[in-house]
Amino acid sequence: GPYDNRNKLFCQLRNSINNKTTIKMTPGKQKVDIVYIDDVVEAYLIASKRLISKESKQMEQFSISSGQHIALKTLIGKYYKIKNVEENIIWGGKNYRPREEMIPFTNGKILPKWKPKISIEDGIRKMEGL
C-alpha cells in the first residue's frame, strides 16, 4: 500500500528511482502472487463476518490469491512502465536464496465470497499516487 515504508521490494524500487541508483536482483524467475492491501482488508472483513454470524461451525483456514502468478521480473517491469522510468536493475546480480520459493502456495481453499478487485497495475498506481 501507499504508506508501507518497510524496506521491501516496492520501497527499494522507489528509492532507487529517487536516488538514481541501481539494484542487484536475482534472475527474477520466481513467481509471486500480489494482492493489494485494500483487498486483503476486505478478506479480513469477510472472514470476521463468517465468525460473527457463526456461518462456520468449525475452525477454518482459507487463502486469498490474486489468481495471477507473475514472475518477479515481469512485475518489476510493470512497475517501471507505470512509473514511466527506465529500469535500473542488474538481473542476475544476486543469487537466489538457498530456500527461495519459486512458485506461490496454491493448495489453499479460497475464502468464500471474496475475490480481488484491484489489479496489479491499478495497485501499483494507487500505491504510487498515480
Side-chain angles (χ1 to χ4, degrees):
Y3 304 107
D4 187 354
N5 292 320
R6 296 174 297 159
N7 194 30
K8 300 289 186 178
L9 177 64
F10 291 114
C11 188
Q12 289 178 21
L13 295 174
R14 189 178 312 113
N15 288 340
S16 75
I17 291 167
N18 293 340
N19 298 322
K20 298 181 180 7
T21 57
T22 303
I23 299 176
K24 290 182 182 180
M25 297 291 289
T26 65
K29 293 182 181 178
Q30 62 271 53
K31 303 276 184 164
V32 294
D33 187 350
I34 301 293
V35 177
Y36 192 73
I37 188 63
D38 292 357
D39 286 331
V40 173
V41 169
E42 180 66 19
Y44 274 106
L45 292 173
I46 290 169
S48 65
K49 286 176 187 174
R50 270 181 86 77
L51 289 171
I52 292 167
S53 70
K54 297 187 170 83
E55 192 172 332
S56 172
K57 297 184 186 335
Q58 62 183 3
M59 294 291 286
E60 299 177 303
Q61 289 184 336
F62 296 107
S63 295
I64 61 171
S65 170
S66 68
Q68 287 184 334
H69 294 167
I70 182 171
L72 183 65
K73 190 171 187 175
T74 303
L75 174 65
I76 290 173
K78 286 179 183 283
Y79 179 86
Y80 280 106
K81 184 175 181 181
I82 290 167
K83 293 282 287 183
N84 196 29
V85 295
E86 272 191 54
E87 196 173 286
N88 53 351
I89 303 287
I90 299 172
W91 293 107
K94 282 174 42 174
N95 293 325
Y96 291 113
R97 294 173 291 189
R99 294 173 41 150
E100 186 91 30
E101 292 291 331
M102 298 300 287
I103 300 171
F105 175 79
T106 58
N107 293 333
K109 181 180 172 187
I110 298 296
L111 177 66
K113 300 179 184 172
W114 178 88
K115 69 178 191 172
K117 296 177 182 146
I118 300 170
S119 69
I120 290 171
E121 295 83 1
D122 287 343
I124 291 171
R125 286 184 195 96
K126 286 179 70 130
M127 180 179 63
E128 296 299 319
L130 302 174

PDB file of all heavy atoms in Angstrom, residues 1-4 34-47 64-65 111 113-119 122-128:
ATOM      1  N   GLY A   1       0.809  -1.195   0.000  1.00  0.00           N
ATOM      2  CA  GLY A   1       0.000   0.000   0.000  1.00  0.00           C
ATOM      3  C   GLY A   1       0.853   1.260   0.000  1.00  0.00           C
ATOM      4  O   GLY A   1       2.084   1.202   0.101  1.00  0.00           O
ATOM      5  N   PRO A   2       0.234   2.391  -0.113  1.00  0.00           N
ATOM      6  CA  PRO A   2       0.949   3.653  -0.257  1.00  0.00           C
ATOM      7  C   PRO A   2       1.754   4.094   0.962  1.00  0.00           C
ATOM      8  O   PRO A   2       2.665   4.890   0.831  1.00  0.00           O
ATOM      9  CB  PRO A   2      -0.155   4.660  -0.559  1.00  0.00           C
ATOM     10  CG  PRO A   2      -1.419   4.023  -0.129  1.00  0.00           C
ATOM     11  CD  PRO A   2      -1.201   2.549  -0.211  1.00  0.00           C
ATOM     12  N   TYR A   3       1.446   3.583   2.132  1.00  0.00           N
ATOM     13  CA  TYR A   3       2.151   4.049   3.333  1.00  0.00           C
ATOM     14  C   TYR A   3       3.088   3.000   3.916  1.00  0.00           C
ATOM     15  O   TYR A   3       3.535   3.136   5.042  1.00  0.00           O
ATOM     16  CB  TYR A   3       1.145   4.523   4.384  1.00  0.00           C
ATOM     17  CG  TYR A   3       0.236   5.594   3.834  1.00  0.00           C
ATOM     18  CD1 TYR A   3      -1.083   5.322   3.531  1.00  0.00           C
ATOM     19  CD2 TYR A   3       0.734   6.865   3.563  1.00  0.00           C
ATOM     20  CE1 TYR A   3      -1.904   6.298   2.989  1.00  0.00           C
ATOM     21  CE2 TYR A   3      -0.078   7.846   3.020  1.00  0.00           C
ATOM     22  CZ  TYR A   3      -1.389   7.555   2.737  1.00  0.00           C
ATOM     23  OH  TYR A   3      -2.192   8.521   2.193  1.00  0.00           O
ATOM     24  N   ASP A   4       3.388   1.976   3.154  1.00  0.00           N
ATOM     25  CA  ASP A   4       4.295   0.925   3.612  1.00  0.00           C
ATOM     26  C   ASP A   4       5.724   1.348   3.291  1.00  0.00           C
ATOM     27  O   ASP A   4       6.150   1.297   2.145  1.00  0.00           O
ATOM     28  CB  ASP A   4       3.957  -0.407   2.941  1.00  0.00           C
ATOM     29  CG  ASP A   4       4.748  -1.565   3.512  1.00  0.00           C
ATOM     30  OD1 ASP A   4       5.641  -1.331   4.354  1.00  0.00           O
ATOM     31  OD2 ASP A   4       4.474  -2.705   3.114  1.00  0.00           O
ATOM     32  N   ILE A  34       0.578 -11.227  -5.895  1.00  0.00           N
ATOM     33  CA  ILE A  34       0.427  -9.915  -5.262  1.00  0.00           C
ATOM     34  C   ILE A  34      -1.056  -9.588  -5.080  1.00  0.00           C
ATOM     35  O   ILE A  34      -1.829  -9.645  -6.031  1.00  0.00           O
ATOM     36  CB  ILE A  34       1.084  -8.817  -6.132  1.00  0.00           C
ATOM     37  CG1 ILE A  34       2.566  -9.100  -6.341  1.00  0.00           C
ATOM     38  CG2 ILE A  34       0.866  -7.432  -5.549  1.00  0.00           C
ATOM     39  CD1 ILE A  34       3.407  -9.003  -5.107  1.00  0.00           C
ATOM     40  N   VAL A  35      -1.435  -9.237  -3.832  1.00  0.00           N
ATOM     41  CA  VAL A  35      -2.799  -8.807  -3.521  1.00  0.00           C
ATOM     42  C   VAL A  35      -2.685  -7.433  -2.863  1.00  0.00           C
ATOM     43  O   VAL A  35      -1.945  -7.257  -1.896  1.00  0.00           O
ATOM     44  CB  VAL A  35      -3.510  -9.807  -2.582  1.00  0.00           C
ATOM     45  CG1 VAL A  35      -4.899  -9.310  -2.214  1.00  0.00           C
ATOM     46  CG2 VAL A  35      -3.589 -11.191  -3.228  1.00  0.00           C
ATOM     47  N   TYR A  36      -3.406  -6.456  -3.397  1.00  0.00           N
ATOM     48  CA  TYR A  36      -3.361  -5.095  -2.860  1.00  0.00           C
ATOM     49  C   TYR A  36      -3.984  -5.044  -1.469  1.00  0.00           C
ATOM     50  O   TYR A  36      -4.927  -5.777  -1.171  1.00  0.00           O
ATOM     51  CB  TYR A  36      -4.083  -4.132  -3.812  1.00  0.00           C
ATOM     52  CG  TYR A  36      -3.830  -2.685  -3.465  1.00  0.00           C
ATOM     53  CD1 TYR A  36      -2.598  -2.097  -3.711  1.00  0.00           C
ATOM     54  CD2 TYR A  36      -4.808  -1.909  -2.869  1.00  0.00           C
ATOM     55  CE1 TYR A  36      -2.351  -0.776  -3.377  1.00  0.00           C
ATOM     56  CE2 TYR A  36      -4.579  -0.591  -2.536  1.00  0.00           C
ATOM     57  CZ  TYR A  36      -3.339  -0.037  -2.786  1.00  0.00           C
ATOM     58  OH  TYR A  36      -3.093   1.272  -2.440  1.00  0.00           O
ATOM     59  N   ILE A  37      -3.488  -4.180  -0.626  1.00  0.00           N
ATOM     60  CA  ILE A  37      -3.881  -4.116   0.782  1.00  0.00           C
ATOM     61  C   ILE A  37      -5.387  -3.930   0.972  1.00  0.00           C
ATOM     62  O   ILE A  37      -5.976  -4.509   1.881  1.00  0.00           O
ATOM     63  CB  ILE A  37      -3.076  -3.037   1.550  1.00  0.00           C
ATOM     64  CG1 ILE A  37      -3.342  -3.112   3.052  1.00  0.00           C
ATOM     65  CG2 ILE A  37      -3.353  -1.645   1.000  1.00  0.00           C
ATOM     66  CD1 ILE A  37      -2.910  -4.404   3.702  1.00  0.00           C
ATOM     67  N   ASP A  38      -6.046  -3.156   0.122  1.00  0.00           N
ATOM     68  CA  ASP A  38      -7.496  -2.969   0.264  1.00  0.00           C
ATOM     69  C   ASP A  38      -8.230  -4.301   0.107  1.00  0.00           C
ATOM     70  O   ASP A  38      -9.216  -4.563   0.802  1.00  0.00           O
ATOM     71  CB  ASP A  38      -8.019  -1.975  -0.770  1.00  0.00           C
ATOM     72  CG  ASP A  38      -7.529  -0.550  -0.538  1.00  0.00           C
ATOM     73  OD1 ASP A  38      -6.828  -0.303   0.465  1.00  0.00           O
ATOM     74  OD2 ASP A  38      -7.845   0.325  -1.373  1.00  0.00           O
ATOM     75  N   ASP A  39      -7.748  -5.149  -0.804  1.00  0.00           N
ATOM     76  CA  ASP A  39      -8.353  -6.467  -0.988  1.00  0.00           C
ATOM     77  C   ASP A  39      -8.053  -7.380   0.202  1.00  0.00           C
ATOM     78  O   ASP A  39      -8.893  -8.196   0.587  1.00  0.00           O
ATOM     79  CB  ASP A  39      -7.863  -7.112  -2.286  1.00  0.00           C
ATOM     80  CG  ASP A  39      -8.479  -6.473  -3.528  1.00  0.00           C
ATOM     81  OD1 ASP A  39      -9.620  -5.972  -3.445  1.00  0.00           O
ATOM     82  OD2 ASP A  39      -7.826  -6.484  -4.581  1.00  0.00           O
ATOM     83  N   VAL A  40      -6.888  -7.249   0.792  1.00  0.00           N
ATOM     84  CA  VAL A  40      -6.540  -8.035   1.984  1.00  0.00           C
ATOM     85  C   VAL A  40      -7.460  -7.637   3.139  1.00  0.00           C
ATOM     86  O   VAL A  40      -8.007  -8.503   3.837  1.00  0.00           O
ATOM     87  CB  VAL A  40      -5.055  -7.839   2.378  1.00  0.00           C
ATOM     88  CG1 VAL A  40      -4.744  -8.522   3.706  1.00  0.00           C
ATOM     89  CG2 VAL A  40      -4.131  -8.349   1.278  1.00  0.00           C
ATOM     90  N   VAL A  41      -7.667  -6.355   3.328  1.00  0.00           N
ATOM     91  CA  VAL A  41      -8.557  -5.874   4.392  1.00  0.00           C
ATOM     92  C   VAL A  41      -9.972  -6.394   4.166  1.00  0.00           C
ATOM     93  O   VAL A  41     -10.642  -6.846   5.098  1.00  0.00           O
ATOM     94  CB  VAL A  41      -8.532  -4.331   4.480  1.00  0.00           C
ATOM     95  CG1 VAL A  41      -9.632  -3.802   5.394  1.00  0.00           C
ATOM     96  CG2 VAL A  41      -7.160  -3.849   4.944  1.00  0.00           C
ATOM     97  N   GLU A  42     -10.426  -6.361   2.919  1.00  0.00           N
ATOM     98  CA  GLU A  42     -11.762  -6.880   2.600  1.00  0.00           C
ATOM     99  C   GLU A  42     -11.868  -8.361   2.953  1.00  0.00           C
ATOM    100  O   GLU A  42     -12.894  -8.821   3.480  1.00  0.00           O
ATOM    101  CB  GLU A  42     -12.066  -6.665   1.112  1.00  0.00           C
ATOM    102  CG  GLU A  42     -13.432  -7.160   0.684  1.00  0.00           C
ATOM    103  CD  GLU A  42     -14.595  -6.403   1.307  1.00  0.00           C
ATOM    104  OE1 GLU A  42     -14.421  -5.269   1.796  1.00  0.00           O
ATOM    105  OE2 GLU A  42     -15.700  -6.969   1.326  1.00  0.00           O
ATOM    106  N   ALA A  43     -10.809  -9.120   2.721  1.00  0.00           N
ATOM    107  CA  ALA A  43     -10.804 -10.544   3.080  1.00  0.00           C
ATOM    108  C   ALA A  43     -10.950 -10.715   4.593  1.00  0.00           C
ATOM    109  O   ALA A  43     -11.706 -11.581   5.055  1.00  0.00           O
ATOM    110  CB  ALA A  43      -9.528 -11.218   2.577  1.00  0.00           C
ATOM    111  N   TYR A  44     -10.241  -9.904   5.357  1.00  0.00           N
ATOM    112  CA  TYR A  44     -10.378  -9.973   6.819  1.00  0.00           C
ATOM    113  C   TYR A  44     -11.802  -9.641   7.259  1.00  0.00           C
ATOM    114  O   TYR A  44     -12.348 -10.276   8.167  1.00  0.00           O
ATOM    115  CB  TYR A  44      -9.395  -9.021   7.515  1.00  0.00           C
ATOM    116  CG  TYR A  44      -8.040  -9.612   7.744  1.00  0.00           C
ATOM    117  CD1 TYR A  44      -6.954  -9.217   6.971  1.00  0.00           C
ATOM    118  CD2 TYR A  44      -7.820 -10.563   8.741  1.00  0.00           C
ATOM    119  CE1 TYR A  44      -5.694  -9.761   7.182  1.00  0.00           C
ATOM    120  CE2 TYR A  44      -6.575 -11.111   8.951  1.00  0.00           C
ATOM    121  CZ  TYR A  44      -5.510 -10.703   8.175  1.00  0.00           C
ATOM    122  OH  TYR A  44      -4.273 -11.237   8.384  1.00  0.00           O
ATOM    123  N   LEU A  45     -12.416  -8.653   6.634  1.00  0.00           N
ATOM    124  CA  LEU A  45     -13.791  -8.285   6.995  1.00  0.00           C
ATOM    125  C   LEU A  45     -14.756  -9.427   6.688  1.00  0.00           C
ATOM    126  O   LEU A  45     -15.631  -9.750   7.504  1.00  0.00           O
ATOM    127  CB  LEU A  45     -14.209  -7.008   6.254  1.00  0.00           C
ATOM    128  CG  LEU A  45     -13.470  -5.739   6.673  1.00  0.00           C
ATOM    129  CD1 LEU A  45     -13.844  -4.584   5.742  1.00  0.00           C
ATOM    130  CD2 LEU A  45     -13.760  -5.389   8.120  1.00  0.00           C
ATOM    131  N   ILE A  46     -14.592 -10.045   5.542  1.00  0.00           N
ATOM    132  CA  ILE A  46     -15.452 -11.173   5.174  1.00  0.00           C
ATOM    133  C   ILE A  46     -15.239 -12.334   6.146  1.00  0.00           C
ATOM    134  O   ILE A  46     -16.205 -12.952   6.616  1.00  0.00           O
ATOM    135  CB  ILE A  46     -15.194 -11.600   3.716  1.00  0.00           C
ATOM    136  CG1 ILE A  46     -15.724 -10.524   2.759  1.00  0.00           C
ATOM    137  CG2 ILE A  46     -15.831 -12.959   3.418  1.00  0.00           C
ATOM    138  CD1 ILE A  46     -15.298 -10.707   1.314  1.00  0.00           C
ATOM    139  N   ALA A  47     -13.992 -12.631   6.470  1.00  0.00           N
ATOM    140  CA  ALA A  47     -13.696 -13.727   7.400  1.00  0.00           C
ATOM    141  C   ALA A  47     -14.273 -13.438   8.783  1.00  0.00           C
ATOM    142  O   ALA A  47     -14.836 -14.332   9.429  1.00  0.00           O
ATOM    143  CB  ALA A  47     -12.188 -13.959   7.480  1.00  0.00           C
ATOM    144  N   ILE A  64      -6.104 -16.350   0.267  1.00  0.00           N
ATOM    145  CA  ILE A  64      -6.553 -15.359  -0.709  1.00  0.00           C
ATOM    146  C   ILE A  64      -5.480 -15.307  -1.782  1.00  0.00           C
ATOM    147  O   ILE A  64      -4.303 -15.570  -1.524  1.00  0.00           O
ATOM    148  CB  ILE A  64      -6.823 -13.968  -0.086  1.00  0.00           C
ATOM    149  CG1 ILE A  64      -5.570 -13.381   0.540  1.00  0.00           C
ATOM    150  CG2 ILE A  64      -7.956 -14.049   0.932  1.00  0.00           C
ATOM    151  CD1 ILE A  64      -5.738 -11.938   0.971  1.00  0.00           C
ATOM    152  N   SER A  65      -5.882 -14.995  -2.987  1.00  0.00           N
ATOM    153  CA  SER A  65      -4.957 -15.002  -4.112  1.00  0.00           C
ATOM    154  C   SER A  65      -5.447 -14.039  -5.177  1.00  0.00           C
ATOM    155  O   SER A  65      -6.655 -13.891  -5.372  1.00  0.00           O
ATOM    156  CB  SER A  65      -4.869 -16.416  -4.705  1.00  0.00           C
ATOM    157  OG  SER A  65      -4.151 -16.412  -5.927  1.00  0.00           O
ATOM    158  N   LEU A 111     -11.083 -18.049   0.302  1.00  0.00           N
ATOM    159  CA  LEU A 111     -12.129 -17.536   1.178  1.00  0.00           C
ATOM    160  C   LEU A 111     -13.420 -17.341   0.387  1.00  0.00           C
ATOM    161  O   LEU A 111     -13.427 -16.613  -0.611  1.00  0.00           O
ATOM    162  CB  LEU A 111     -11.675 -16.202   1.792  1.00  0.00           C
ATOM    163  CG  LEU A 111     -12.655 -15.477   2.688  1.00  0.00           C
ATOM    164  CD1 LEU A 111     -12.907 -16.281   3.968  1.00  0.00           C
ATOM    165  CD2 LEU A 111     -12.123 -14.094   3.040  1.00  0.00           C
ATOM    166  N   LYS A 113     -16.896 -15.955  -0.935  1.00  0.00           N
ATOM    167  CA  LYS A 113     -17.457 -14.602  -1.108  1.00  0.00           C
ATOM    168  C   LYS A 113     -16.386 -13.527  -1.209  1.00  0.00           C
ATOM    169  O   LYS A 113     -16.644 -12.345  -0.975  1.00  0.00           O
ATOM    170  CB  LYS A 113     -18.446 -14.267   0.007  1.00  0.00           C
ATOM    171  CG  LYS A 113     -19.619 -15.222   0.074  1.00  0.00           C
ATOM    172  CD  LYS A 113     -20.550 -14.868   1.214  1.00  0.00           C
ATOM    173  CE  LYS A 113     -21.656 -15.905   1.305  1.00  0.00           C
ATOM    174  NZ  LYS A 113     -22.481 -15.719   2.493  1.00  0.00           N
ATOM    175  N   TRP A 114     -15.156 -13.911  -1.538  1.00  0.00           N
ATOM    176  CA  TRP A 114     -14.078 -12.936  -1.700  1.00  0.00           C
ATOM    177  C   TRP A 114     -13.394 -13.146  -3.033  1.00  0.00           C
ATOM    178  O   TRP A 114     -13.193 -14.278  -3.466  1.00  0.00           O
ATOM    179  CB  TRP A 114     -13.030 -13.079  -0.597  1.00  0.00           C
ATOM    180  CG  TRP A 114     -11.892 -12.110  -0.773  1.00  0.00           C
ATOM    181  CD1 TRP A 114     -11.834 -10.832  -0.289  1.00  0.00           C
ATOM    182  CD2 TRP A 114     -10.673 -12.305  -1.492  1.00  0.00           C
ATOM    183  NE1 TRP A 114     -10.662 -10.226  -0.676  1.00  0.00           N
ATOM    184  CE2 TRP A 114      -9.932 -11.123  -1.423  1.00  0.00           C
ATOM    185  CE3 TRP A 114     -10.144 -13.371  -2.220  1.00  0.00           C
ATOM    186  CZ2 TRP A 114      -8.688 -10.959  -2.031  1.00  0.00           C
ATOM    187  CZ3 TRP A 114      -8.905 -13.227  -2.827  1.00  0.00           C
ATOM    188  CH2 TRP A 114      -8.186 -12.032  -2.722  1.00  0.00           C
ATOM    189  N   LYS A 115     -13.061 -12.073  -3.673  1.00  0.00           N
ATOM    190  CA  LYS A 115     -12.155 -12.104  -4.817  1.00  0.00           C
ATOM    191  C   LYS A 115     -11.524 -10.720  -4.921  1.00  0.00           C
ATOM    192  O   LYS A 115     -12.121  -9.717  -4.507  1.00  0.00           O
ATOM    193  CB  LYS A 115     -12.851 -12.520  -6.104  1.00  0.00           C
ATOM    194  CG  LYS A 115     -13.830 -11.553  -6.673  1.00  0.00           C
ATOM    195  CD  LYS A 115     -14.399 -12.094  -7.972  1.00  0.00           C
ATOM    196  CE  LYS A 115     -15.176 -10.997  -8.679  1.00  0.00           C
ATOM    197  NZ  LYS A 115     -15.578 -11.384  -9.999  1.00  0.00           N
ATOM    198  N   PRO A 116     -10.306 -10.659  -5.442  1.00  0.00           N
ATOM    199  CA  PRO A 116      -9.642  -9.356  -5.511  1.00  0.00           C
ATOM    200  C   PRO A 116     -10.335  -8.441  -6.512  1.00  0.00           C
ATOM    201  O   PRO A 116     -10.852  -8.895  -7.533  1.00  0.00           O
ATOM    202  CB  PRO A 116      -8.225  -9.715  -5.966  1.00  0.00           C
ATOM    203  CG  PRO A 116      -8.368 -11.007  -6.683  1.00  0.00           C
ATOM    204  CD  PRO A 116      -9.500 -11.730  -6.010  1.00  0.00           C
ATOM    205  N   LYS A 117     -10.326  -7.159  -6.188  1.00  0.00           N
ATOM    206  CA  LYS A 117     -10.944  -6.165  -7.066  1.00  0.00           C
ATOM    207  C   LYS A 117      -9.894  -5.295  -7.743  1.00  0.00           C
ATOM    208  O   LYS A 117     -10.170  -4.659  -8.746  1.00  0.00           O
ATOM    209  CB  LYS A 117     -11.895  -5.291  -6.248  1.00  0.00           C
ATOM    210  CG  LYS A 117     -13.066  -6.056  -5.672  1.00  0.00           C
ATOM    211  CD  LYS A 117     -13.940  -5.163  -4.816  1.00  0.00           C
ATOM    212  CE  LYS A 117     -15.061  -6.008  -4.225  1.00  0.00           C
ATOM    213  NZ  LYS A 117     -15.445  -5.583  -2.918  1.00  0.00           N
ATOM    214  N   ILE A 118      -8.707  -5.235  -7.166  1.00  0.00           N
ATOM    215  CA  ILE A 118      -7.677  -4.311  -7.656  1.00  0.00           C
ATOM    216  C   ILE A 118      -6.611  -5.096  -8.405  1.00  0.00           C
ATOM    217  O   ILE A 118      -5.968  -5.984  -7.846  1.00  0.00           O
ATOM    218  CB  ILE A 118      -7.084  -3.513  -6.486  1.00  0.00           C
ATOM    219  CG1 ILE A 118      -8.201  -2.717  -5.805  1.00  0.00           C
ATOM    220  CG2 ILE A 118      -5.965  -2.593  -6.961  1.00  0.00           C
ATOM    221  CD1 ILE A 118      -7.833  -2.083  -4.508  1.00  0.00           C
ATOM    222  N   SER A 119      -6.416  -4.757  -9.663  1.00  0.00           N
ATOM    223  CA  SER A 119      -5.409  -5.425 -10.489  1.00  0.00           C
ATOM    224  C   SER A 119      -4.003  -5.020 -10.040  1.00  0.00           C
ATOM    225  O   SER A 119      -3.835  -4.035  -9.308  1.00  0.00           O
ATOM    226  CB  SER A 119      -5.593  -5.043 -11.960  1.00  0.00           C
ATOM    227  OG  SER A 119      -5.255  -3.670 -12.156  1.00  0.00           O
ATOM    228  N   ASP A 122      -3.375  -1.465 -11.293  1.00  0.00           N
ATOM    229  CA  ASP A 122      -4.087  -0.444 -10.515  1.00  0.00           C
ATOM    230  C   ASP A 122      -3.525  -0.339  -9.099  1.00  0.00           C
ATOM    231  O   ASP A 122      -3.455   0.753  -8.540  1.00  0.00           O
ATOM    232  CB  ASP A 122      -5.587  -0.751 -10.468  1.00  0.00           C
ATOM    233  CG  ASP A 122      -6.272  -0.474 -11.796  1.00  0.00           C
ATOM    234  OD1 ASP A 122      -5.689   0.241 -12.643  1.00  0.00           O
ATOM    235  OD2 ASP A 122      -7.388  -0.986 -12.006  1.00  0.00           O
ATOM    236  N   GLY A 123      -3.103  -1.456  -8.533  1.00  0.00           N
ATOM    237  CA  GLY A 123      -2.477  -1.433  -7.220  1.00  0.00           C
ATOM    238  C   GLY A 123      -1.178  -0.624  -7.217  1.00  0.00           C
ATOM    239  O   GLY A 123      -0.929   0.161  -6.307  1.00  0.00           O
ATOM    240  N   ILE A 124      -0.383  -0.805  -8.255  1.00  0.00           N
ATOM    241  CA  ILE A 124       0.854  -0.021  -8.373  1.00  0.00           C
ATOM    242  C   ILE A 124       0.509   1.463  -8.495  1.00  0.00           C
ATOM    243  O   ILE A 124       1.119   2.308  -7.824  1.00  0.00           O
ATOM    244  CB  ILE A 124       1.694  -0.499  -9.571  1.00  0.00           C
ATOM    245  CG1 ILE A 124       2.261  -1.904  -9.296  1.00  0.00           C
ATOM    246  CG2 ILE A 124       2.834   0.504  -9.880  1.00  0.00           C
ATOM    247  CD1 ILE A 124       2.918  -2.566 -10.499  1.00  0.00           C
ATOM    248  N   ARG A 125      -0.468   1.785  -9.317  1.00  0.00           N
ATOM    249  CA  ARG A 125      -0.861   3.204  -9.478  1.00  0.00           C
ATOM    250  C   ARG A 125      -1.330   3.799  -8.148  1.00  0.00           C
ATOM    251  O   ARG A 125      -0.943   4.919  -7.781  1.00  0.00           O
ATOM    252  CB  ARG A 125      -1.962   3.333 -10.529  1.00  0.00           C
ATOM    253  CG  ARG A 125      -1.468   3.149 -11.940  1.00  0.00           C
ATOM    254  CD  ARG A 125      -2.588   3.389 -12.975  1.00  0.00           C
ATOM    255  NE  ARG A 125      -2.173   2.881 -14.244  1.00  0.00           N
ATOM    256  CZ  ARG A 125      -2.482   1.659 -14.727  1.00  0.00           C
ATOM    257  NH1 ARG A 125      -3.265   0.852 -14.024  1.00  0.00           N
ATOM    258  NH2 ARG A 125      -2.043   1.273 -15.895  1.00  0.00           N
ATOM    259  N   LYS A 126      -2.165   3.055  -7.426  1.00  0.00           N
ATOM    260  CA  LYS A 126      -2.666   3.544  -6.132  1.00  0.00           C
ATOM    261  C   LYS A 126      -1.512   3.713  -5.144  1.00  0.00           C
ATOM    262  O   LYS A 126      -1.441   4.715  -4.429  1.00  0.00           O
ATOM    263  CB  LYS A 126      -3.695   2.570  -5.562  1.00  0.00           C
ATOM    264  CG  LYS A 126      -5.042   2.618  -6.262  1.00  0.00           C
ATOM    265  CD  LYS A 126      -6.011   1.614  -5.680  1.00  0.00           C
ATOM    266  CE  LYS A 126      -6.424   2.007  -4.313  1.00  0.00           C
ATOM    267  NZ  LYS A 126      -7.808   2.019  -4.005  1.00  0.00           N
ATOM    268  N   MET A 127      -0.634   2.741  -5.105  1.00  0.00           N
ATOM    269  CA  MET A 127       0.491   2.757  -4.178  1.00  0.00           C
ATOM    270  C   MET A 127       1.414   3.952  -4.440  1.00  0.00           C
ATOM    271  O   MET A 127       1.946   4.559  -3.525  1.00  0.00           O
ATOM    272  CB  MET A 127       1.268   1.446  -4.307  1.00  0.00           C
ATOM    273  CG  MET A 127       2.453   1.315  -3.413  1.00  0.00           C
ATOM    274  SD  MET A 127       3.250  -0.293  -3.639  1.00  0.00           S
ATOM    275  CE  MET A 127       3.763  -0.186  -5.344  1.00  0.00           C
ATOM    276  N   GLU A 128       1.551   4.278  -5.712  1.00  0.00           N
ATOM    277  CA  GLU A 128       2.450   5.356  -6.108  1.00  0.00           C
ATOM    278  C   GLU A 128       1.753   6.701  -6.271  1.00  0.00           C
ATOM    279  O   GLU A 128       2.364   7.682  -6.671  1.00  0.00           O
ATOM    280  CB  GLU A 128       3.180   4.974  -7.404  1.00  0.00           C
ATOM    281  CG  GLU A 128       4.090   3.780  -7.257  1.00  0.00           C
ATOM    282  CD  GLU A 128       5.207   4.018  -6.236  1.00  0.00           C
ATOM    283  OE1 GLU A 128       5.781   5.123  -6.211  1.00  0.00           O
ATOM    284  OE2 GLU A 128       5.501   3.091  -5.463  1.00  0.00           O
TER     285      GLU A 128
END
